[in-house]
Coordinates of all heavy atoms in Angstrom, one line a residue:
M818 N 0.8 -1.2 0.0 CA -0.1 0.0 0.0 C 0.9 1.2 0.0 O 1.7 1.4 0.8 CB -1.0 -0.1 1.3 CG -1.8 1.1 1.5 SD -3.1 0.9 2.8 CE -2.1 0.8 4.1
S819 N 0.7 2.1 -0.9 CA 1.3 3.4 -1.0 C 0.7 4.5 -0.3 O -0.5 4.4 0.0 CB 1.5 3.9 -2.5 OG 2.1 2.9 -3.3
D820 N 1.7 5.6 0.0 CA 1.0 6.6 0.7 C 0.1 7.4 0.0 O 0.3 7.4 -1.3 CB 2.2 7.7 1.2 CG 3.1 7.1 2.2 OD1 2.6 6.2 3.0 OD2 4.2 7.5 2.3
P821 N -1.1 8.1 0.4 CA -1.8 8.8 -0.3 C -1.2 10.2 -1.0 O -0.3 10.6 -0.5 CB -3.0 9.2 0.6 CG -2.4 9.1 2.0 CD -1.3 8.0 1.9
V822 N -1.9 10.4 -2.0 CA -1.4 11.8 -2.7 C -2.6 12.8 -2.6 O -3.7 12.5 -2.8 CB -1.0 11.5 -4.1 CG1 -0.6 12.8 -4.9 CG2 0.1 10.4 -4.3
Y823 N -2.2 14.0 -2.1 CA -3.1 15.2 -2.1 C -2.9 16.2 -3.2 O -1.7 16.5 -3.3 CB -3.1 15.6 -0.8 CG -3.5 14.7 0.4 CD1 -2.4 14.0 1.2 CD2 -4.7 14.3 0.6 CE1 -2.8 13.2 2.2 CE2 -5.2 13.5 1.7 CZ -4.0 12.9 2.4 OH -4.5 12.1 3.5
I824 N -4.0 16.5 -3.8 CA -3.9 17.5 -4.9 C -4.8 18.7 -4.6 O -6.0 18.3 -4.5 CB -4.1 16.9 -6.3 CG1 -3.1 15.8 -6.5 CG2 -4.0 18.0 -7.3 CD1 -3.5 14.9 -7.7
A825 N -4.2 19.8 -4.4 CA -5.2 21.0 -4.1 C -5.8 21.5 -5.4 O -5.2 21.5 -6.5 CB -4.4 22.1 -3.5
L826 N -7.1 21.8 -5.4 CA -7.9 22.4 -6.6 C -8.8 23.5 -6.0 O -9.1 23.5 -4.7 CB -8.6 21.3 -7.2 CG -7.9 20.1 -7.9 CD1 -8.8 19.1 -8.1 CD2 -7.3 20.7 -9.0
A827 N -9.3 24.3 -6.8 CA -10.2 25.3 -6.4 C -11.6 24.7 -6.1 O -12.0 23.6 -6.6 CB -10.4 26.3 -7.6
R828 N -12.1 25.2 -4.9 CA -13.4 24.6 -4.4 C -14.5 24.6 -5.5 O -15.1 23.5 -5.6 CB -13.8 25.4 -3.2 CG -15.0 24.8 -2.4 CD -15.4 25.6 -1.2 NE -16.4 24.9 -0.5 CZ -17.6 24.9 -0.7 NH1 -18.2 25.5 -1.8 NH2 -18.4 24.2 0.1
N829 N -14.6 25.5 -6.1 CA -15.7 25.6 -7.0 C -15.5 24.6 -8.1 O -16.6 23.8 -8.6 CB -16.0 27.0 -7.7 CG -14.8 27.5 -8.4 OD1 -13.7 27.0 -8.2 ND2 -15.0 28.5 -9.3
E830 N -14.4 24.2 -8.5 CA -14.0 23.1 -9.4 C -14.4 21.8 -8.9 O -15.0 21.0 -9.6 CB -12.6 23.0 -9.8 CG -12.1 24.1 -10.8 CD -10.6 23.9 -11.0 OE1 -10.3 22.9 -11.7 OE2 -9.9 24.8 -10.8
V831 N -14.0 21.4 -7.7 CA -14.4 20.4 -7.0 C -15.9 20.1 -6.9 O -16.4 18.9 -7.2 CB -13.7 20.0 -5.7 CG1 -14.0 18.7 -5.0 CG2 -12.2 20.3 -5.8
V832 N -16.5 21.1 -6.5 CA -18.1 21.1 -6.3 C -18.6 20.7 -7.7 O -19.5 19.9 -7.8 CB -18.5 22.4 -5.8 CG1 -20.1 22.4 -5.7 CG2 -18.2 22.5 -4.3
S833 N -18.2 21.4 -8.7 CA -18.7 21.1 -10.1 C -18.4 19.7 -10.5 O -19.3 19.0 -11.0 CB -18.1 22.1 -11.2 OG -16.7 21.6 -11.5
Y834 N -17.4 19.0 -10.1 CA -17.1 17.7 -10.4 C -17.9 16.6 -9.6 O -18.3 15.6 -10.1 CB -15.6 17.3 -10.1 CG -14.5 18.0 -10.9 CD1 -13.3 18.2 -10.2 CD2 -14.8 18.5 -12.2 CE1 -12.3 19.1 -11.0 CE2 -13.9 19.2 -12.8 CZ -12.7 19.5 -12.2 OH -11.7 20.2 -12.9
L835 N -18.3 17.1 -8.4 CA -19.1 16.2 -7.5 C -20.6 16.2 -8.1 O -21.4 15.3 -7.9 CB -19.2 16.8 -6.1 CG -17.9 16.3 -5.3 CD1 -18.0 17.1 -3.9 CD2 -18.0 14.8 -5.0
G836 N -21.0 17.3 -8.8 CA -22.3 17.4 -9.3 C -23.5 17.2 -8.2 O -23.5 17.8 -7.2
P837 N -24.4 16.3 -8.6 CA -25.5 16.1 -7.7 C -25.1 15.5 -6.2 O -25.9 15.5 -5.4 CB -26.6 15.2 -8.4 CG -25.6 14.6 -9.2 CD -24.5 15.4 -9.7
A838 N -23.9 15.1 -6.1 CA -23.4 14.5 -4.8 C -23.1 15.5 -3.8 O -22.9 15.3 -2.7 CB -22.2 13.7 -5.1
W839 N -23.1 16.8 -4.3 CA -22.9 18.1 -3.3 C -24.1 18.8 -3.4 O -24.6 19.3 -4.3 CB -21.6 18.8 -3.8 CG -21.2 19.9 -2.7 CD1 -21.6 21.1 -2.7 CD2 -20.6 19.5 -1.5 NE1 -20.9 21.7 -1.6 CE2 -20.4 20.7 -0.8 CE3 -20.1 18.4 -0.9 CZ2 -19.8 20.8 0.4 CZ3 -19.4 18.5 0.4 CH2 -19.3 19.8 1.0
P840 N -24.6 19.3 -2.3 CA -24.0 19.0 -0.9 C -24.6 17.6 -0.4 O -25.4 17.1 -0.9 CB -24.8 20.2 0.0 CG -26.0 20.4 -0.7 CD -25.7 20.2 -2.3
P841 N -23.7 17.0 0.5 CA -24.1 15.7 1.0 C -25.4 15.7 1.7 O -25.9 16.7 2.3 CB -22.9 15.3 1.9 CG -22.3 16.5 2.3 CD -22.6 17.5 1.2
T842 N -26.1 14.5 1.7 CA -27.4 14.4 2.4 C -27.2 14.1 3.9 O -26.3 13.2 4.3 CB -28.1 13.2 1.7 OG1 -28.3 13.4 0.2 CG2 -29.5 13.1 2.3
P843 N -28.0 14.7 4.8 CA -27.8 14.3 6.2 C -28.0 12.9 6.3 O -28.9 12.3 5.8 CB -29.0 15.1 6.9 CG -29.1 16.4 5.9 CD -28.9 15.7 4.5
G844 N -27.2 12.3 7.2 CA -27.2 10.8 7.5 C -26.1 10.0 6.7 O -25.8 9.0 7.1
D845 N -25.6 10.7 5.6 CA -24.6 10.0 4.7 C -23.4 10.0 5.5 O -22.9 10.8 6.2 CB -24.4 10.7 3.4 CG -25.4 10.5 2.5 OD1 -26.4 9.6 2.6 OD2 -25.3 11.0 1.3
P846 N -22.5 8.9 5.1 CA -21.2 8.8 5.7 C -20.3 10.0 5.2 O -20.5 10.4 4.1 CB -20.5 7.4 5.3 CG -21.8 6.7 4.6 CD -22.8 7.7 4.3
L847 N -19.4 10.5 5.9 CA -18.5 11.5 5.6 C -17.2 11.4 6.3 O -17.1 11.0 7.3 CB -19.1 12.8 6.1 CG -18.4 14.1 5.7 CD1 -18.7 14.4 4.2 CD2 -18.9 15.3 6.4
L848 N -16.0 11.5 5.4 CA -14.7 11.2 6.0 C -14.1 12.6 6.0 O -14.0 13.2 5.2 CB -14.0 10.2 5.1 CG -12.6 9.8 5.5 CD1 -12.8 8.8 6.8 CD2 -11.9 9.1 4.5
V849 N -13.5 12.9 7.2 CA -12.7 14.1 7.3 C -11.2 13.8 7.3 O -10.9 12.8 8.0 CB -13.1 14.6 8.9 CG1 -12.2 16.0 9.1 CG2 -14.6 14.9 9.0
I850 N -10.7 14.4 6.3 CA -9.3 14.1 6.3 C -8.4 14.7 7.3 O -8.7 15.7 7.8 CB -8.7 14.4 4.7 CG1 -8.8 15.9 4.5 CG2 -9.6 13.7 3.8 CD1 -8.1 16.3 3.3
P851 N -7.2 14.1 7.6 CA -6.4 14.7 8.5 C -5.8 16.0 8.4 O -5.5 16.3 7.1 CB -5.3 13.5 8.8 CG -5.2 13.1 7.3 CD -6.5 13.0 6.8
P852 N -5.7 16.9 9.3 CA -5.1 18.2 9.1 C -3.7 18.2 8.6 O -3.3 19.1 7.8 CB -5.0 18.9 10.5 CG -6.0 18.0 11.4 CD -6.2 16.6 10.8
E853 N -3.0 17.1 8.9 CA -1.6 17.0 8.3 C -1.6 16.9 6.7 O -0.5 17.2 6.1 CB -0.9 15.7 8.9 CG -0.8 15.7 10.4 CD -2.1 15.2 11.1 OE1 -2.8 14.4 10.5 OE2 -2.2 15.7 12.1
A854 N -2.7 16.7 6.2 CA -2.8 16.6 4.7 C -2.7 18.0 4.2 O -2.4 18.1 2.9 CB -4.2 15.9 4.3
A855 N -3.1 19.0 5.0 CA -2.9 20.3 4.5 C -3.7 20.6 3.2 O -3.3 21.2 2.2 CB -1.5 20.9 4.3
L856 N -4.8 19.9 3.2 CA -5.8 20.1 1.9 C -7.2 20.4 2.4 O -7.9 19.7 3.1 CB -5.8 18.7 1.1 CG -6.7 18.7 -0.1 CD1 -6.0 19.6 -1.1 CD2 -6.9 17.4 -0.6
T857 N -7.8 21.5 1.8 CA -9.0 21.8 2.2 C -9.9 21.4 1.1 O -10.9 20.7 1.2 CB -9.3 23.4 2.3 OG1 -8.3 23.8 3.3 CG2 -10.6 23.9 2.7
D858 N -9.6 21.7 -0.3 CA -10.3 21.3 -1.5 C -9.5 20.8 -2.5 O -8.4 21.2 -2.7 CB -11.0 22.5 -1.9 CG -11.9 23.2 -0.9 OD1 -12.9 22.6 -0.6 OD2 -11.6 24.4 -0.7
G859 N -9.9 19.6 -3.0 CA -9.0 18.9 -4.1 C -9.3 17.6 -4.3 O -10.5 17.2 -4.4
A860 N -8.2 16.7 -4.4 CA -8.5 15.2 -4.6 C -7.5 14.5 -3.6 O -6.4 15.0 -3.3 CB -8.2 14.9 -5.9
A861 N -8.0 13.5 -3.1 CA -7.0 12.6 -2.3 C -7.1 11.3 -3.1 O -8.1 10.7 -3.4 CB -7.7 12.3 -1.0
I862 N -5.8 10.7 -3.5 CA -5.6 9.6 -4.3 C -5.0 8.5 -3.4 O -4.1 8.7 -2.7 CB -4.7 10.0 -5.6 CG1 -5.3 11.0 -6.3 CG2 -4.6 8.6 -6.4 CD1 -4.4 11.5 -7.4
V863 N -5.7 7.4 -3.3 CA -5.3 6.3 -2.6 C -5.0 5.1 -3.3 O -5.5 4.9 -4.5 CB -6.3 5.8 -1.5 CG1 -6.6 7.0 -0.5 CG2 -7.7 5.5 -2.2
Y864 N -4.1 4.3 -2.8 CA -3.6 3.0 -3.6 C -3.9 1.8 -2.7 O -3.0 1.4 -1.9 CB -2.1 3.2 -3.8 CG -1.8 4.5 -4.8 CD1 -1.7 5.7 -4.1 CD2 -1.9 4.4 -6.1 CE1 -1.4 6.9 -4.9 CE2 -1.7 5.6 -7.0 CZ -1.4 6.7 -6.4 OH -1.2 7.9 -7.0
P865 N -5.0 1.2 -2.9 CA -5.4 -0.1 -2.0 C -4.4 -1.2 -2.2 O -4.1 -1.9 -1.3 CB -6.7 -0.4 -2.5 CG -7.3 0.9 -3.0 CD -6.2 1.6 -3.7
Q866 N -3.7 -1.3 -3.4 CA -2.9 -2.4 -3.8 C -1.7 -1.8 -4.4 O -1.7 -1.1 -5.4 CB -3.6 -3.4 -4.8 CG -4.8 -4.0 -4.3 CD -5.3 -5.0 -5.3 OE1 -5.2 -4.9 -6.5 NE2 -6.0 -6.1 -4.7
E867 N -0.5 -2.1 -3.8 CA 0.8 -1.8 -4.3 C 1.0 -2.1 -5.7 O 0.7 -3.3 -6.2 CB 1.9 -2.4 -3.5 CG 3.3 -1.8 -3.6 CD 3.5 -0.6 -3.2 OE1 2.9 -0.2 -2.0 OE2 4.1 0.4 -3.7
G868 N 1.4 -1.1 -6.5 CA 1.7 -1.3 -8.0 C 0.5 -1.2 -8.8 O 0.5 -1.4 -10.1
R869 N -0.7 -1.0 -8.2 CA -1.9 -0.8 -9.1 C -2.3 0.5 -9.2 O -1.9 1.4 -8.2 CB -3.0 -1.6 -8.5 CG -2.8 -3.3 -8.3 CD -2.8 -4.0 -9.5 NE -4.1 -3.8 -10.2 CZ -4.4 -4.1 -11.4 NH1 -3.6 -4.7 -12.1 NH2 -5.6 -4.0 -12.0
P870 N -3.2 0.9 -10.2 CA -3.6 2.3 -10.2 C -4.4 2.6 -9.0 O -5.1 1.8 -8.2 CB -4.6 2.4 -11.5 CG -4.1 1.2 -12.2 CD -3.6 0.1 -11.3
G871 N -4.4 4.0 -8.6 CA -5.1 4.4 -7.4 C -6.5 4.8 -7.7 O -6.9 4.9 -8.9
T872 N -7.2 5.3 -6.7 CA -8.5 5.8 -6.9 C -8.5 7.3 -6.3 O -8.1 7.5 -5.2 CB -9.5 4.9 -6.0 OG1 -9.6 3.6 -6.5 CG2 -11.0 5.5 -6.2
A873 N -9.1 8.3 -7.2 CA -9.2 9.5 -6.6 C -10.5 9.9 -6.0 O -11.6 9.5 -6.5 CB -9.1 10.5 -7.9
W874 N -10.5 10.5 -4.8 CA -11.7 10.9 -4.2 C -11.8 12.4 -4.0 O -10.7 13.1 -3.7 CB -11.6 10.3 -2.7 CG -11.8 8.9 -2.7 CD1 -10.8 7.9 -2.9 CD2 -13.0 8.1 -2.4 NE1 -11.3 6.6 -2.7 CE2 -12.6 6.7 -2.4 CE3 -14.3 8.5 -2.2 CZ2 -13.7 5.8 -2.2 CZ3 -15.3 7.5 -2.0 CH2 -14.9 6.2 -2.0
W875 N -12.8 13.0 -4.4 CA -12.9 14.5 -4.3 C -13.0 14.9 -2.8 O -13.7 14.4 -2.0 CB -14.2 14.9 -5.0 CG -14.1 14.8 -6.5 CD1 -15.0 13.9 -7.2 CD2 -13.1 15.2 -7.5 NE1 -14.6 13.8 -8.6 CE2 -13.5 14.6 -8.7 CE3 -12.0 15.9 -7.3 CZ2 -12.6 14.9 -9.9 CZ3 -11.2 16.2 -8.5 CH2 -11.7 15.6 -9.7
V876 N -12.4 16.0 -2.5 CA -12.3 16.6 -1.1 C -12.8 17.9 -1.2 O -12.5 18.8 -2.0 CB -10.9 16.6 -0.6 CG1 -10.8 17.2 0.8 CG2 -10.3 15.3 -0.6
V877 N -13.8 18.2 -0.4 CA -14.5 19.6 -0.2 C -14.5 20.0 1.2 O -14.9 19.1 2.1 CB -15.9 19.8 -0.8 CG1 -16.5 21.0 -0.6 CG2 -15.8 19.3 -2.3
D878 N -14.0 21.1 1.6 CA -14.0 21.5 3.0 C -13.3 20.4 3.9 O -13.9 20.3 5.1 CB -15.4 21.8 3.4 CG -16.0 22.9 2.7 OD1 -15.4 23.8 2.1 OD2 -17.3 22.9 2.6
S879 N -12.2 19.9 3.5 CA -11.5 18.8 4.1 C -12.3 17.6 4.5 O -12.0 16.8 5.3 CB -10.9 19.4 5.5 OG -10.0 20.5 5.3
T880 N -13.3 17.4 3.7 CA -14.2 16.1 3.8 C -14.3 15.4 2.7 O -14.2 16.0 1.4 CB -15.6 16.5 4.4 OG1 -16.3 17.3 3.4 CG2 -15.5 17.2 5.8
I881 N -14.5 14.1 2.7 CA -14.8 13.2 1.4 C -16.2 12.8 1.7 O -16.5 12.0 2.5 CB -13.8 12.1 1.4 CG1 -12.5 12.7 1.1 CG2 -14.3 11.1 0.3 CD1 -11.4 11.4 1.1
P882 N -17.2 13.3 0.8 CA -18.6 13.0 0.9 C -18.8 11.6 -0.1 O -17.9 11.2 -0.8 CB -19.4 14.1 0.3 CG -18.3 14.6 -0.7 CD -17.0 14.4 -0.2
R883 N -20.0 11.1 -0.1 CA -20.4 10.1 -1.0 C -20.3 10.6 -2.4 O -20.6 11.7 -2.6 CB -21.9 9.6 -0.8 CG -22.2 8.3 -1.7 CD -23.8 8.3 -1.4 NE -24.1 8.1 -0.1 CZ -24.5 7.0 0.6 NH1 -24.7 5.8 -0.1 NH2 -24.8 7.0 1.8
Q884 N -19.7 9.8 -3.4 CA -19.4 10.4 -4.7 C -19.4 9.1 -5.7 O -19.6 8.0 -5.2 CB -18.2 11.3 -4.7 CG -17.1 10.5 -4.4 CD -15.9 11.5 -3.9 OE1 -15.0 11.7 -4.8 NE2 -16.0 12.1 -2.7
S885 N -19.1 9.4 -7.0 CA -19.1 8.3 -7.9 C -18.0 7.3 -7.7 O -18.0 6.1 -8.1 CB -18.9 9.0 -9.3 OG -17.7 9.6 -9.5
A886 N -17.0 7.7 -7.0 CA -15.9 6.7 -6.6 C -16.4 5.7 -5.5 O -15.8 4.7 -5.4 CB -14.6 7.4 -6.0
G887 N -17.5 6.0 -4.8 CA -18.0 5.2 -3.8 C -18.5 6.0 -2.6 O -18.6 7.2 -2.6
T888 N -18.7 5.2 -1.6 CA -19.1 5.8 -0.3 C -18.0 5.5 0.7 O -17.2 4.5 0.9 CB -20.3 5.0 0.3 OG1 -21.4 5.1 -0.6 CG2 -20.8 5.5 1.6
P889 N -17.6 6.7 1.3 CA -16.5 6.7 2.4 C -16.9 5.6 3.5 O -18.0 5.5 4.0 CB -16.4 8.0 2.9 CG -17.3 8.9 2.2 CD -18.0 8.0 1.3
D890 N -15.7 4.8 3.8 CA -16.0 3.8 4.8 C -14.7 3.5 5.6 O -13.7 4.2 5.4 CB -16.5 2.4 4.1 CG -15.5 2.0 2.9 OD1 -14.4 2.4 2.9 OD2 -15.9 1.0 2.2
E891 N -14.8 2.4 6.4 CA -13.4 2.4 7.2 C -12.3 1.8 6.4 O -11.1 2.2 6.7 CB -13.9 1.2 8.2 CG -14.8 1.6 9.4 CD -14.3 2.5 10.3 OE1 -13.0 2.7 10.4 OE2 -15.0 3.3 10.8
A892 N -12.5 1.3 5.2 CA -11.4 0.8 4.3 C -10.8 2.1 3.9 O -9.5 2.1 3.7 CB -11.9 -0.1 3.3
L893 N -11.5 3.0 3.5 CA -10.9 4.3 2.9 C -10.3 5.0 4.1 O -9.2 5.6 3.9 CB -12.0 5.2 2.3 CG -11.5 6.5 1.8 CD1 -10.4 6.4 0.7 CD2 -12.7 7.4 1.2
A894 N -10.9 5.0 5.3 CA -10.1 5.7 6.4 C -8.9 5.1 6.7 O -7.9 5.9 7.0 CB -11.2 5.5 7.6
A895 N -8.7 3.7 6.5 CA -7.5 3.2 6.7 C -6.4 3.5 5.8 O -5.2 3.5 6.1 CB -7.6 1.6 6.8
L896 N -6.8 3.9 4.5 CA -5.9 4.3 3.5 C -5.4 5.7 3.7 O -4.5 6.3 3.0 CB -6.5 4.1 2.1 CG -6.8 2.7 1.7 CD1 -7.6 2.6 0.6 CD2 -5.4 1.9 1.7
L897 N -6.3 6.5 4.5 CA -5.9 8.0 4.8 C -5.6 8.1 6.3 O -6.4 8.5 7.0 CB -7.1 9.0 4.4 CG -7.2 8.8 2.9 CD1 -8.7 9.4 2.6 CD2 -6.2 9.5 2.1
P898 N -4.4 7.7 6.7 CA -4.0 7.7 8.2 C -4.4 9.1 8.8 O -4.1 10.2 8.2 CB -2.7 7.5 8.2 CG -2.2 6.8 6.9 CD -3.2 7.4 5.9
G899 N -5.2 9.0 9.9 CA -5.5 10.1 10.7 C -6.8 10.7 10.3 O -7.4 11.6 11.0
S900 N -7.5 10.1 9.3 CA -8.9 10.7 8.9 C -9.9 9.9 9.9 O -9.6 9.1 10.6 CB -9.2 10.1 7.6 OG -9.1 8.8 7.4
V901 N -11.0 10.6 10.0 CA -12.1 10.2 10.9 C -13.5 10.1 10.1 O -13.8 10.9 9.3 CB -12.3 11.3 12.0 CG1 -13.4 10.8 12.8 CG2 -10.9 11.5 12.8
L902 N -14.0 8.9 10.2 CA -15.3 8.6 9.6 C -16.4 9.0 10.4 O -16.4 8.8 11.7 CB -15.4 7.0 9.2 CG -16.6 6.7 8.4 CD1 -16.6 7.3 7.0 CD2 -16.6 5.2 8.5
G903 N -17.3 9.8 9.9 CA -18.5 10.3 10.5 C -19.7 10.3 9.7 O -19.8 9.5 8.6
T904 N -20.7 11.0 10.1 CA -22.0 11.2 9.5 C -22.4 12.7 9.2 O -22.0 13.5 10.0 CB -23.1 10.5 10.3 OG1 -22.7 9.3 10.6 CG2 -24.4 10.6 9.5
V905 N -22.9 12.9 8.0 CA -23.3 14.3 7.9 C -24.5 14.6 8.7 O -25.5 13.9 8.8 CB -23.8 14.4 6.3 CG1 -24.4 15.8 6.0 CG2 -22.7 14.1 5.3
L906 N -24.4 15.7 9.5 CA -25.3 16.0 10.5 C -26.5 16.8 9.8 O -26.3 17.5 8.6 CB -24.8 17.1 11.5 CG -23.7 16.3 12.3 CD1 -23.1 17.3 13.3 CD2 -24.2 15.1 13.0
S907 N -27.6 16.9 10.3 CA -28.8 17.5 9.8 C -28.6 19.1 10.1 O -28.0 19.4 11.2 CB -30.1 17.2 10.4 OG -30.3 15.9 10.0
P908 N -29.0 20.0 9.3 CA -28.9 21.4 9.6 C -29.7 21.7 10.8 O -30.7 21.1 11.0 CB -29.3 22.1 8.3 CG -30.1 21.1 7.6 CD -29.7 19.7 7.9
L909 N -29.3 22.6 11.6 CA -30.0 23.1 12.7 C -31.3 23.6 12.3 O -31.3 24.6 11.5 CB -29.3 24.1 13.6 CG -27.9 23.5 14.2 CD1 -27.1 24.6 15.0 CD2 -28.2 22.4 15.2
P910 N -32.4 23.2 13.0 CA -33.6 23.9 12.6 C -33.7 25.4 13.1 O -33.2 25.5 14.2 CB -34.7 23.1 13.3 CG -34.0 22.3 14.4 CD -32.5 22.2 13.9
T911 N -34.4 26.1 12.4 CA -34.5 27.6 13.0 C -35.8 27.6 13.8 O -36.8 27.0 13.5 CB -34.7 28.5 11.8 OG1 -35.7 28.1 11.1 CG2 -33.5 28.6 11.0
P912 N -35.6 28.1 15.0 CA -36.7 28.2 15.9 C -37.9 29.0 15.3 O -37.6 30.1 14.5 CB -36.2 29.1 17.1 CG -35.1 29.7 16.7 CD -34.6 29.0 15.5
D913 N -39.1 28.7 15.7 CA -40.3 29.4 15.1 C -40.4 30.8 16.0 O -40.4 30.8 17.2 CB -41.6 28.7 15.3 CG -41.6 27.6 14.4 OD1 -41.0 27.5 13.4 OD2 -42.3 26.5 14.9
T914 N -40.2 31.9 15.3 CA -40.3 33.4 16.0 C -41.2 34.0 15.1 O -41.3 34.0 13.9 CB -38.9 33.9 15.9 OG1 -38.5 34.1 14.6 CG2 -37.8 33.1 16.7
P915 N -42.1 34.7 16.0 CA -43.1 35.6 15.4 C -42.3 36.8 14.6 O -41.2 37.2 14.9 CB -43.8 36.2 16.5 CG -43.0 36.1 17.7 CD -42.0 34.9 17.4
P916 N -42.9 37.3 13.5 CA -42.3 38.3 12.9 C -42.2 39.6 13.7 O -43.0 39.9 14.4 CB -43.2 38.7 11.6 CG -44.5 37.8 11.8 CD -44.1 36.9 13.0
Q917 N -41.2 40.4 13.5 CA -40.9 41.6 14.4 C -41.2 42.7 13.4 O -40.8 42.9 12.2 CB -39.5 41.6 14.9 CG -39.3 40.4 15.7 CD -38.1 40.7 16.7 OE1 -37.5 41.7 16.5 NE2 -37.7 39.6 17.3
D918 N -42.0 43.8 14.1 CA -42.2 44.9 13.2 C -41.1 45.9 13.4 O -40.5 46.1 14.3 CB -43.6 45.5 13.6 CG -44.7 44.6 13.2 OD1 -44.5 43.9 12.4 OD2 -45.8 44.6 13.9

């Protein structure tokens, strides 16, 4: 297994590549890449088998959401040391407040 490769790209480019997969749906798995990667937006390329082509995963806001490459899981987390697998949280509901004059 080779070390992952991180490539920085403009956020709007990455979001356009993700297409309908962005923004992620609440409840979906989400992998937070390690701060040591020094990557906010771009791609993380992992190599599950030595000597074989890698798989590129789109990274937005230091996270890897579900995308055409697949669904982030424990196997991907193991290929990105220091990453943390979690879940997309629901947006906070806004309290019902009466209109103010």
Side-chain angles (χ1 to χ4, degrees):
M818 174 168 72
S819 300
D820 290 337
V822 174
Y823 297 103
I824 301 170
L826 297 166
R828 185 180 191 278
N829 60 342
E830 286 183 59
V831 179
V832 169
S833 72
Y834 300 145
L835 283 169
W839 188 261
T842 304
D845 276 357
L847 187 75
L848 187 68
V849 179
I850 63 170
E853 299 81 36
L856 179 69
T857 304
D858 303 295
I862 303 170
V863 295
Y864 300 89
Q866 294 180 334
E867 190 72 38
R869 302 286 304 167
T872 303
W874 291 82
W875 298 119
V876 177
V877 178
D878 302 333
S879 299
T880 64
I881 298 176
R883 184 185 314 244
Q884 54 195 268
S885 60
T888 300
D890 58 11
E891 291 294 337
L893 178 59
L896 294 170
L897 296 167
S900 62
V901 178
L902 186 62
T904 303
V905 177
L906 300 176
S907 297
L909 296 175
T911 54
D913 292 332
T914 56
Q917 297 192 6
D918 294 333

